Amino acid sequence: MALQWWQRAVFYQIYPRSFADSNGDGIGDLDGVTAHLDYVESLGIDAIWLNPINPSQLDDWGYDVSDYCGIHPDLGDLAAFDRLLAEAHRREIRVIVDLVPNHTSNQHPWFIESRASRTNPKRDWYIWVPGSPERAPNNWVSNFGGPAWQYDADTQAWYLHTFLVQQPDLNFRNPEVVEAMHGVIRFWLERGADGYRIDVVANMIKDAQLRDNPLRTEPNPDIPSRRPGELNPLYSTDQPEVHDIIRGFRRVSDSYENRILVGETWPREQERLADYLRPDELQLAFNFRFLLARYEASRFRAAIELTEKSFGAGAWPTWTLSNHDFSRHISRYSRDGDGDARARVAAVMLLTLRGSPFIYYGEEIGMRDAAIPAGSKRDPVGRDGCRSPMQWSDARNGGFSTSDKTWLPCGDFKTVNVARQLNDPHSMLALHRRLIQLRKSTPALVEGSYREFDRAPEDCLVFHRDTPAQHIVVALNFTAEPREIALPEGKILLSTVSRSANLTKSPLTLAPNEAVIMILDA
Ligand code: GLC
C-alpha cells in the first residue's frame, strides 16, 4: 500500500516560546515561527509540531490549559495562528498542534465551576472523592512527585492531579467531557490544523474503582525514574478503556481529510505501544526508548528490535532523540565522550531508520542545554535547559530577540548558531540538510524494509534498508575507535567524517564515531 504523508514526513518540534520573538518582549511567538518558515523549509521539513499555544497560567508552561480554543497572549492571537498555518501550507509544511486532554489548569472555567460545590453540574467533569483531610483516596503519586490527590476543604473532597496540583485531571468516564474534548478537536481541525500531538494519552482514563497501585518489583526501562520499591502505575494509566476514548478522537479526526493523531504514549511496558497504533486509533505514537538511552549500540539495538518485533505490519514507528522534557541528547552524550561526533551518528540513525523521525528545534545545529542560573529557573521540575532560545546567529540573544532579557537564558550561541553553520559544508546543519535530502531522494530509506546486519561488532549498529530495486546499508560506529565491518563493496552516499574515496573496499573500516550510508549494487 502506498505510504501516507505522515509515514514519509520528517517532523520538526517547535517550542513556540523559544523559537523566535517577533515583537521584542523576550518571548518567542507565532509570528516569530512564521518569519522562520523559510528556514524550516530549507531543512526539508514536512511537518511541524507546536508545543501548547493555548492560554495557560504557565504553571506547566502551556500544559495547564485554561482555554482550549484560544491563543496565549504572549504567543499572539488566532489571526497569528491563521497566518502561520497559511504560510506553512503555502510551503507544503503541515502543522500539528498539542492537545492536552488529560488535565486542565485549575483556572479553567470548567474546574472553577467543578470545585464550586458538590452539586455543580460540572462537578463530575473532574475526579473528585469525598473524604476527610487525613486520608487520600488511594496511594497514587503525581508524575511530578508527591501525592496525586489534593484536598479541597470547602467541599470536603479530594481531586486527582497526575501532574501539578494546578493540573486537575478531567474525568473521561463522563460523556460530557468526551463530547467537550471532541469539540476542541474539531475547533483546530476546522481552522486547518493537520492534526494533534496528544499529551499523555495513556493516562486519560483511570481504574473505575481507583484501586491502590502495587509496588514495583522490577525496574522499568520505559518510564523514567520508576525503580523497584516505587509504585507500578497499574491502575492509574494504560487502562483498557482508554482505547475507546482514542477511537472517539480518531472518528472526529477522520471526519476531516488527511489529519493525524500522534500520541505522547507512555504505556506501562513498551510492548504495549503497538496497541495504540491501530487503523481506528492513533496513526503515530512517540517511542521514548531513544530519549532514555545512553550512547551505546546495544541500547539502540534493543529499542529498534523491540519496536520492529512488537509493531507488526499495521503500526508505523517514530524516532525521537530529544524533546522539551529531557536533557538534549548532545548534552547527554557529551558527559562521557565527544558529544558532537556522537550527535552526528545519532542523526544518521534517526533519519535512516524505518519510521517517522522527529527533530527537536536546535538539534539540527547541535544546540546544547543552556545553563540556567538559580534566579532564572522557570520550570517547576527542572526542564528549562532544553527549552532555551533558538540560536540563530551570534548577535545579541543569539538573534532570538531584541529584548534586554529573554524569558529563559540563551545558550552557547556565540559558537553554535544557524548563521555560522549555513555556509559550512561540514556543519551539523549541513549534515541534517544532506541527510533529509538523501532520505527524500532514496526510496529505500523511506519505504524499504529494515534488517539488521548480524555480523557487525556488538558495539556498532549496521542495518539494511531494502526495496526490490535498491539496497542501502547504514553503518554506525558507536565507539571512539575504528571498527571493521564485513560488508561487501559499495558506494558511500554520506559519511559523518571526510573520506578520500566514495567507493569502499571490503571489509568496510569505520573511523571512530563514524556513520556511513552506502548503496550496494542491486
Ligand atoms: C507531557 C508533556 C510535559 C508536561 C506533561 C503534563 O509529558 O510533554 O511537558 O509537563 O505532559 O502535561
Side-chain angles (χ1 to χ4, degrees):
M1 208 176 87
L3 294 184
Q4 307 284 324
W5 72 264
W6 42 269
Q7 295 174 299
R8 301 188 162 273
V10 177
F11 289 81
Y12 188 74
Q13 176 188 354
I14 294 182
Y15 197 78
R17 280 188 174 259
S18 292
F19 201 57
D21 169 16
S22 74
N23 61 356
D25 63 359
I27 304 171
D29 44 49
L30 297 181
D31 281 341
V33 175
T34 307
H36 286 85
L37 285 173
D38 283 342
Y39 168 75
V40 175
E41 184 184 21
S42 73
L43 258 175
I45 298 300
D46 304 287
I48 56 177
W49 151 35
L50 301 172
N51 281 103
I53 53 178
N54 307 120
S56 147
Q57 303 304 305
L58 307 182
D59 290 308
D60 187 14
W61 296 98
Y63 286 97
D64 49 320
V65 174
S66 52
D67 170 9
Y68 284 103
C69 299
I71 302 284
H72 192 289
D74 287 351
L75 305 179
D77 52 20
L78 285 170
F81 178 78
D82 292 342
R83 282 195 292 278
L84 193 170
L85 208 57
E87 286 299 313
H89 286 169
R90 200 162 67 74
R91 294 169 175 80
E92 291 181 34
I93 297 173
R94 312 211 190 211
V95 181
I96 311 292
V97 291
D98 220 307
L99 178 72
V100 190
N102 179 68
H103 43 267
T104 68
S105 160
N106 61 351
Q107 300 306 312
H108 193 293
W110 297 344
F111 189 71
I112 293 176
E113 277 195 51
S114 182
R115 84 180 323 171
S117 77
R118 285 197 186 183
T119 53
N120 186 282
K122 291 218 165 43
R123 183 63 168 185
D124 192 39
W125 280 43
Y126 292 82
I127 302 174
W128 289 99
V129 181
S132 63
E134 297 81 50
R135 210 181 132 81
N138 66 22
N139 70 351
W140 296 358
V141 288
S142 151
N143 286 359
F144 287 162
W149 297 94
Q150 176 71 12
Y151 192 66
D152 177 62
D154 290 347
T155 60
Q156 298 181 356
W158 297 83
Y159 69 83
L160 181 71
H161 60 92
T162 300
F163 293 88
L164 298 174
V165 170
Q166 298 94 327
Q167 292 169 294
D169 282 44
L170 282 163
N171 175 16
F172 275 88
R173 293 185 183 275
N174 180 340
E176 288 173 18
V177 170
V178 174
E179 204 30 62
M181 205 49 70
H182 287 185
V184 172
I185 297 173
R186 281 192 208 97
F187 181 84
W188 296 98
L189 296 183
E190 204 62 59
R191 279 200 112 77
D194 296 286
Y196 289 97
R197 174 267 188 192
I198 309 179
D199 196 57
V200 291
V201 67
N203 283 80
M204 281 195 297
I205 204 156
K206 287 86 184 165
D207 177 47
Q209 301 164 48
L210 302 176
R211 276 172 280 189
D212 273 350
N213 279 328
L215 286 184
R216 181 179 295 291
T217 49
E218 301 281 324
N220 185 340
D222 301 319
I223 301 184
S225 71
R226 287 283 187 273
R227 288 177 285 274
E230 294 187 340
L231 295 175
N232 171 2
L234 184 64
Y235 294 116
S236 50
T237 190
D238 201 6
Q239 302 301 295
E241 299 96 318
V242 76
H243 297 282
D244 287 335
I245 305 296
I246 298 173
R247 279 191 282 268
F249 286 11
R250 177 68 182 263
R251 280 194 295 274
V252 177
S253 164
D254 275 357
S255 64
Y256 299 80
E257 235 178 301
N258 272 327
R259 314 302 164 97
I260 54 162
L261 302 178
V262 186
E264 188 212 9
T265 331
W266 297 95
R268 276 179 286 119
E269 290 92 26
Q270 193 69 15
E271 285 81 351
R272 300 163 64 92
L273 187 59
D275 294 347
Y276 288 81
L277 296 166
R278 297 187 186 275
D280 58 350
E281 294 196 40
L282 304 173
Q283 277 99 337
L284 296 173
F286 287 109
N287 175 347
F288 292 110
R289 277 280 177 106
F290 279 12
L291 264 159
L292 306 173
R294 289 171 53 82
Y295 181 80
E296 280 169 19
S298 60
R299 306 286 175 125
F300 296 117
R301 175 180 297 115
I304 298 163
E305 271 176 11
L306 182 64
T307 303
E308 287 287 336
K309 198 173 89 208
S310 62
F311 268 33
W316 187 257
T318 66
W319 304 105
T320 312
L321 295 162
S322 286
N323 72 16
H324 64 291
D325 289 330
F326 295 90
S327 173
R328 286 176 178 271
H329 62 280
I330 192 166
S331 297
R332 287 185 274 122
Y333 299 166
S334 299
R335 289 176 200 146
D336 57 358
D338 180 346
D340 187 82
R342 291 171 161 196
R344 287 170 192 259
V345 174
V348 174
M349 176 175 69
L350 181 81
L351 288 155
T352 57
L353 282 171
R354 194 180 73 87
S356 304
F358 281 74
I359 297 173
Y360 183 46
Y361 81 97
E363 176 175 330
E364 73 280 13
I365 54 168
M367 231 170 96
R368 286 159 204 264
D369 294 345
I372 311 289
S376 304
K377 287 195 182 358
R378 297 292 202 139
D379 183 52
V381 289
R383 295 166 294 184
D384 295 318
C386 64
R387 300 176 177 178
S388 63
M390 177 67 180
Q391 298 170 187
W392 296 103
S393 69
D394 61 6
R396 185 173 188 211
N397 300 323
F400 162 73
S401 169
T402 54
S403 162
D404 288 341
K405 197 166 156 37
T406 55
W407 83 282
L408 273 178
C410 296
D412 54 354
F413 62 84
K414 292 277 176 212
T415 45
V416 176
N417 65 62
V418 172
R420 184 170 175 162
Q421 295 189 15
L422 269 181
N423 298 315
D424 172 1
H426 303 296
S427 65
M428 188 70 89
L429 180 58
L431 173 68
H432 278 83
R433 287 183 159 179
R434 272 162 54 219
L435 271 169
I436 295 173
Q437 245 171 36
L438 185 63
R439 185 185 161 92
K440 289 189 191 288
S441 57
T442 311
L445 286 177
V446 180
E447 299 155 15
S449 60
Y450 171 91
R451 180 169 50 91
E452 198 185 340
F453 174 71
D454 51 14
R455 281 182 296 136
E458 267 296 290
D459 46 15
C460 294
L461 181 67
V462 180
F463 54 86
H464 294 266
R465 297 293 316 278
D466 289 334
T467 60
Q470 202 171 44
H471 303 297
I472 299 289
V473 175
V474 179
L476 312 166
N477 179 1
F478 285 88
T479 78
E481 295 145 28
R483 284 285 181 269
E484 262 189 15
I485 321 270
L487 284 166
E489 287 171 20
K491 186 172 157 237
I492 296 211
L493 301 176
L494 180 144
S495 163
T496 54
V497 305
S498 347
R499 282 188 161 256
S500 49
N502 274 346
L503 292 177
T504 65
K505 289 202 287 282
S506 182
L508 170 73
T509 304
L510 290 176
N513 283 311
E514 183 186 13
V516 302
I517 304 175
M518 50 192 271
I519 186 160
L520 306 181
D521 288 339

